[in-house]
């Protein structure tokens, strides 16, 4: 019985977070209220308070869920001993971008984080957390470029850190533009072309 209760509690928490994504996406974080989230999730407001202190606590949980999902994807990919780390990273970036197109929930929450959210007042603290998440992803991406340098796929005068920052900025720009105007491009179709354009200039030049 205890196991079932734990599973039910987890299901309720997941339902609340899923509902919050829709409510935040439709109304913004400022315009959202716990009553709307509870109604959309099909739970009582008391059930929300069982899992979360307030609306900002829900927002933080959503940020953590997305961050853990992305970090887990990258870490699992890094476990593979790929013969071409640059191709491996290119494939990963394509998959991450295409996922934004194909996963509606991820598309919505990224829209909330990057486009629809006002980070003033009590929300300002989340900018620091997003910065910390970006630093973690940059550190992981740099491991691909370090592997590529060790395998002599990069020119000797190429700085892996600069490449990592360039890739991070490139991806961020693509994601921002797509979220602001999804009709501008279909990431499922365009992501391979975008990333091929970036990475073809990265490989060591033949002499």
């Amino acid at each position: 019985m205890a196991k079932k209760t734990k599973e039910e509690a987890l299901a309720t928490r997941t339902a609340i977070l899923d509902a919050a994504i829709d409510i935040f996406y439709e109304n913004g974080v400022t315009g959202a209220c716990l009553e709307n989230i509870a109604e959309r999730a099909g739970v009582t407001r008391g059930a929300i308070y069982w899992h979360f202190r307030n609306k900002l606590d829900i927002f933080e949980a959503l940020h953590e869920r997305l961050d853990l999902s992305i970090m887990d994807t990258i870490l699992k990919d890094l476990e593979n001993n790929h013969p071409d780390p640059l191709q491996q990273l290119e494939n990963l970036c394509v998959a991450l971008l295409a996922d934004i197109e194909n996963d509606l929930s991820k598309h919505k929450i990224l829209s909330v984080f990057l486009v629809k959210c006002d980070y003033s007042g009590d929300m300002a603290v989340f900018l620091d957390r997003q910065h910390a998440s970006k630093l973690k992803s940059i550190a992981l991406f740099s491991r691909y470029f370090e592997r590529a340098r060790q395998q002599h796929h990069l020119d000797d005068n190429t700085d892996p850190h600069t490449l990592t920052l360039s890739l991070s900025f490139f991806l961020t720009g693509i994601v921002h533009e797509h979220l602001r105007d999804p009709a501008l491009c279909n990431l499922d179709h365009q992501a391979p072309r975008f990333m091929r354009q970036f990475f073809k200039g990265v490989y060591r030049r033949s002499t």
Side-chain angles (χ1 to χ4, degrees):
M1 183 65 68
K3 183 177 180 180
K4 181 178 180 181
T5 301
K6 184 177 180 180
E7 290 173 348
E8 289 177 344
L10 179 59
T12 298
R13 187 179 190 276
T14 299
I16 293 169
L17 291 176
D18 290 342
I21 291 175
D22 288 336
I23 297 300
F24 289 160
Y25 182 77
E26 295 165 8
N27 304 295
V29 178
T30 303
C33 64
L34 294 181
E35 289 85 354
N36 295 145
I37 295 174
E39 182 179 0
R40 185 69 61 91
V43 302
T44 65
R45 182 163 174 166
I48 290 183
Y49 283 123
W50 178 263
H51 294 277
F52 304 101
R53 295 187 301 271
N54 49 41
K55 183 171 60 176
L56 296 186
D57 201 25
I58 295 175
F59 185 85
E60 182 176 7
L62 286 172
H63 190 279
E64 182 180 3
R65 184 165 80 169
L66 179 65
D67 187 45
L68 288 174
S69 173
I70 295 174
M71 292 300 109
D72 185 59
T73 297
I74 300 174
L75 285 170
K76 285 182 178 178
D77 190 61
L78 279 167
E79 292 176 0
N80 299 325
N81 188 21
H82 198 285
D84 186 345
L86 294 179
Q87 184 62 59
Q88 181 185 11
L89 180 55
E90 180 179 340
N91 295 341
L92 173 68
C93 292
V94 169
L96 290 173
L97 289 175
D99 199 32
I100 299 173
E101 183 76 50
N102 297 318
D103 187 331
L104 182 58
S105 177
K106 188 166 293 184
H107 179 96
K108 286 182 177 180
I109 195 56
L110 279 170
S111 294
V112 171
F113 290 156
L114 300 178
V115 178
K116 297 176 176 286
C117 195
D118 176 10
Y119 288 99
S120 60
D122 292 339
M123 294 293 294
V125 65
F126 292 106
L127 289 177
D128 293 333
R129 293 172 188 173
Q130 289 183 9
H131 178 67
S133 295
K134 180 175 286 293
L135 290 180
K136 286 192 296 183
S137 65
I138 286 173
L140 292 179
F141 282 153
S142 70
R143 290 168 60 179
Y144 290 92
F145 289 119
E146 288 292 349
R147 289 179 181 180
R149 182 170 67 174
Q150 292 169 7
Q151 296 180 23
H152 306 292
H153 294 165
L154 296 178
D155 285 328
D156 294 336
N157 61 349
T158 299
D159 177 21
H161 180 66
T162 299
L163 276 179
T164 305
L165 289 180
S166 299
L167 176 60
S168 177
F169 298 157
F170 187 67
L171 289 171
T172 300
I174 292 172
V175 172
H176 267 279
E177 290 302 321
H178 174 72
L179 295 176
R180 289 180 183 279
D181 186 4
L184 189 62
C185 72
N186 182 300
L187 287 182
D188 201 29
H189 297 152
Q190 292 292 103
R193 298 176 184 176
F194 290 150
M195 301 320 304
R196 182 87 298 267
Q197 187 68 36
F198 179 90
F199 278 94
K200 74 177 185 179
V202 172
Y203 281 89
R204 184 185 187 98
R205 294 178 176 83
S206 301
T207 56

